[in-house]
Amino acid sequence: KDMKSAQEIEMQMRKLQKIHDNINQQKSKMACNARDCEERNKLLKDEKEAILVHFSQLKGQMNKFRENQRARLTALTVLSTKTIGELKKTYEKGERILKLSEMCRK
């Protein structure tokens, strides 16, 4: 009976050691995964920061370009309005000349 109990105790000790080893192995894997995740998160955070800086630069360039185009469009509108006015005056002058020439011919 002592021998059987000793064998049972030995078997339980081996099971306990296996469980303990398994727990240590899982803890080691968790620590390794945590390090990997932290490193990956750091890299993603750095990449995000770089993208945000690039985005800000592009947005600034786009706003500058948009402002430049708005100024050009305003200048073009002013010039076209002025040109239309001058053309109307020229057209009216031509109309008067044609009427006067008709009157002189008669």
Side-chain angles (χ1 to χ4, degrees):
K1 190 170 185 177
D2 282 341
M3 183 87 141
K4 195 173 188 182
S5 293
Q7 284 178 344
E8 184 68 30
I9 289 172
E10 182 68 30
M11 192 170 71
Q12 293 296 328
M13 289 297 281
R14 276 190 235 131
K15 281 184 181 179
L16 191 60
Q17 186 62 42
K18 264 187 177 180
I19 291 171
H20 183 65
D21 290 345
N22 196 3
I23 288 172
N24 286 339
Q25 185 180 16
Q26 294 301 321
K27 282 182 181 179
S28 176
K29 280 184 182 179
M30 283 175 50
C32 184
N33 286 340
R35 281 192 305 272
D36 289 347
C37 288
E38 285 175 18
E39 185 178 331
R40 207 172 311 132
N41 286 344
K42 184 186 179 306
L43 290 173
L44 287 171
K45 186 178 178 183
D46 292 345
E47 186 177 356
K48 178 185 171 187
E49 292 295 324
I51 289 171
L52 284 175
V53 168
H54 186 63
F55 171 75
S56 295
Q57 289 173 344
L58 288 177
K59 189 173 181 179
Q61 288 175 357
M62 192 171 68
N63 286 337
K64 187 176 178 182
F65 178 76
R66 188 180 295 136
E67 199 57 43
N68 185 18
Q69 293 302 311
R70 184 178 291 125
R72 289 181 65 200
L73 180 60
T74 302
L76 181 64
T77 304
V78 168
L79 284 175
S80 67
T81 303
K82 182 180 174 186
T83 303
I84 287 171
E86 290 174 4
L87 285 173
K88 280 182 181 178
K89 286 179 186 176
T90 306
Y91 178 78
E92 289 167 0
K93 219 185 246 185
E95 286 285 314
R96 278 193 317 239
I97 291 171
L98 284 175
K99 282 182 185 177
L100 286 173
S101 68
E102 282 291 321
M103 288 170 63
C104 288
R105 202 172 55 170
K106 288 180 182 180

